[in-house]
Amino acid sequence: FGGGKYGIAIGDVSGKGLEAAVYTAMARYMIQAYSADDPDPVYVASRLNGALCKYTPVGKFVTLVYGLLDAGNRKFTYVNAGHEIPFLHRGKEDRLENLSSTGPAAGALADGEYHSETIAFEPGDTLIFYTDGAPQARCEGKFLGTEGLQKIVAELVHSHADDLPDAMLASIRSFAKGHLRDDIAILAIKARV
């Protein structure tokens, strides 16, 4: 958005196949349009929710984390609309935190309300976003789960941010013995020291 401010989004559409791909594209362009109008995360999530409730079938929804990273002020302001809980690794303390959920999935509730959270994003900190295919990876009926994913992150978080998603995906695949049942997207952002 200029001035060292960046919009960051990761989401997942309910369903599979061509229909889900159509709604994914629709949600993506709506997010881009609404954020160009006003990048405030509550505004974007609220507008997206209203449009999806109006123009998509009942039961079609999007989980989403949309945030505004202010690199100059080292802050990340976000809305988590029913998406998997992102992780924040605090570099100085070598500690992993969970970010909050701040509202329902977009398109799920016409009167859904959203609020934002703002966190400090200090040098050495890493934000990790992922879709539900990661914790839902399974082996012999056992899910990896959020705790298993946190263990993977704790082992790999000191990797370069460019390498972290691929390293995480390799560990998730290894856990699932190469058989992933859902798509997985992973995004890592590290604040430079």
Side-chain angles (χ1 to χ4, degrees):
F1 295 106
K5 294 182 180 176
Y6 302 88
I8 298 167
I10 188 168
D12 202 0
V13 174
S14 61
K16 299 202 181 303
L18 182 58
E19 183 183 38
V22 168
Y23 289 114
T24 298
M26 186 173 82
R28 176 183 176 198
Y29 292 116
M30 284 181 182
I31 292 164
Q32 286 178 326
Y34 296 141
S35 64
D37 187 36
D38 181 346
D40 175 70
V42 172
Y43 173 83
V44 172
S46 298
R47 292 290 308 268
L48 179 65
N49 183 61
L52 291 175
C53 285
K54 186 173 182 178
Y55 298 112
T56 61
V58 173
K60 189 57 65 182
F61 58 88
V62 176
T63 66
L64 170 75
V65 176
Y66 169 75
L68 189 59
L69 177 61
D70 185 338
N73 291 321
R74 299 189 182 276
K75 295 195 182 302
F76 180 63
T77 302
Y78 70 95
V79 164
N80 182 343
H83 195 72
E84 297 294 320
I85 301 296
F87 303 135
L88 171 63
H89 179 262
R90 294 288 185 192
K92 286 181 185 173
E93 296 91 16
D94 196 19
R95 183 183 77 234
L96 198 60
E97 301 176 0
N98 295 334
L99 300 188
S100 302
S101 183
T102 65
L109 300 170
D111 59 353
E113 292 187 18
Y114 301 91
H115 69 277
S116 62
E117 297 278 333
T118 299
I119 59 165
F121 192 51
E122 300 296 331
D125 290 353
T126 306
L127 282 164
I128 299 124
F129 307 91
Y130 54 93
T131 56
D132 64 356
Q136 290 177 4
R138 63 182 102 164
C139 179
E140 299 172 1
K142 179 183 174 191
F143 287 97
L144 176 62
T146 304
E147 287 182 19
L149 190 58
Q150 286 173 324
K151 287 178 184 175
I152 288 172
V153 169
E155 291 171 9
L156 300 172
V157 75
H158 298 289
S159 304
H160 191 279
D162 290 345
D163 302 326
L164 181 57
D166 287 334
M168 286 176 61
L169 184 57
S171 291
I172 295 164
R173 271 203 179 111
S174 177
F175 169 83
K177 297 190 169 137
H179 303 301
L180 298 176
R181 299 174 185 221
D182 196 1
D183 58 328
I184 298 174
I186 301 170
L187 172 64
I189 302 168
K190 186 172 277 193
R192 291 187 179 169
V193 176

